[in-house]
């Protein structure tokens, strides 16, 4: 478990990170573990790279593929529309969530 991610969620701080081939700015909403043992991070991406071509919107990232994680000073207001508390993708355990 990465305490930096949970701190950002609790403080509602933006994260800058590198994921696959590019950097992204995201609002972290939930962080947990799935049945396959992968740590997952549910985010709302506000800018940056995207393999799907969708540079804004909901993303589910594997934590082991995140590099260069940085907490920014900027905060976000709270959960975005469409956020589901108790994210089903994290079916093993949720470490922290909005």
């Amino acid at each position: 478990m990465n305490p930096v991610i949970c701190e950002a969620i609790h403080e509602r701080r933006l994260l800058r990170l590198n994921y696959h081939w590019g950097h992204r700015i995201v609002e972290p909403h939930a962080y947990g573990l799935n049945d396959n043992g992968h740590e997952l991070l549910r985010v709302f991406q506000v800018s940056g790279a995207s393999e799907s071509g969708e540079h804004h919107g909901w993303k589910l990232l594997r934590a082991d593929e995140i590099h260069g994680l940085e907490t920014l000073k900027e905060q976000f207001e709270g959960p975005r529309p469409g956020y589901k508390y108790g994210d089903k993708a994290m079916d093993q355990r949720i470490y922290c969530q909005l």
Side-chain angles (χ1 to χ4, degrees), residues 1 3 5-6 19-20 25-26 35 37 44 46-48 51 62 68-69 72 75 79 86 93 95:
M1 185 186 75
I5 294 173
C6 282
Y19 192 73
H20 294 171
I25 305 293
V26 300
D35 278 341
F44 189 89
V46 295
S47 70
E51 289 180 23
R62 278 190 41 181
L69 182 66
L72 302 179
Q75 291 183 286
R93 179 175 182 195
Y95 300 131

Side-chain angles (χ1 to χ4, degrees), residues 54-74:
E54 297 292 325
H55 302 283
H56 296 89
W58 290 107
K59 308 286 181 176
L60 184 62
L61 311 179
R62 278 190 41 181
D64 63 339
E65 296 176 4
I66 294 172
H67 303 284
L69 182 66
E70 178 186 353
T71 304
L72 302 179
K73 292 181 182 178
E74 294 84 7

